[in-house]
Amino acid sequence: MGIDTTAGKTSYAMSGRQGIGIKVADMVALMERVIEDKRSRQTGLPSKAIAAAAIRYYLLRYNLQTEVVFDLEKATEISGNTGVYLLYAHARAASLIAKAEKELGAIHEPPYASLQQELEPAETALLRKLASWPEALTAAAEERAPNLLANYAYELATAFNTFYGACPILRAEEERRGFRIALTVLYKQTLGDALQLLGLPTPSRM
């Protein structure tokens, strides 16, 4: 693994052909220190677990035939196509569901049930992405391409975060609120399945 410090950034180029490498333990320790510096609070998932997930996801999101240049700063960002972003996206849904259960009681009805109102664009987009999960899973298995799972997980998390920002959930009127909570439950389950298949944790808080 070679080191590139262009423009003040540190990145690592893996090259098995050239025999250049870095120990996994050293890489995880380096990532852990970067994450520790970026975290405002450390009451959830341990920084070491986040570091390992960030490394794993950064590598899995590329096609297996792609030469990877590892950018440490990009790999630890909480926005964009990173493992850290996905962990936060899962924790956000878990936190919302826990709050809903505390305030309103558990809601287990399917997200399609009894909603008579027209869907908001963000609701429709999230439902469509959820509906494409079996297709994405089949394609990843048939092509032996974990990057397809990674891409799906990122797109799903992005669709949920758009929905979360555009559509009030717990403060929505009753019929819409039940639908949105159930939709969030389905999203959390689906993203959790994708993360587990990628070998990433599914945190309830970060």
Side-chain angles (χ1 to χ4, degrees), residues 150-169:
N151 290 338
Y152 175 85
Y154 171 63
E155 291 172 359
L156 177 62
T158 300
F160 175 76
N161 283 332
T162 299
F163 158 75
Y164 181 88
C167 303
I169 300 176

Side-chain angles (χ1 to χ4, degrees), residues 103-123:
E103 294 182 2
L104 308 168
I107 298 176
H108 300 295
E109 66 180 74
Y112 304 98
S114 73
L115 184 68
Q116 303 299 320
Q117 304 175 33
E118 183 177 351
L119 294 180
E120 297 289 338
E123 293 171 323

Side-chain angles (χ1 to χ4, degrees), residues 42-58:
Q42 301 178 17
T43 58
L45 201 64
S47 294
K48 185 174 182 179
I50 298 174
I55 295 170
R56 186 179 186 88
Y57 181 80
Y58 194 95

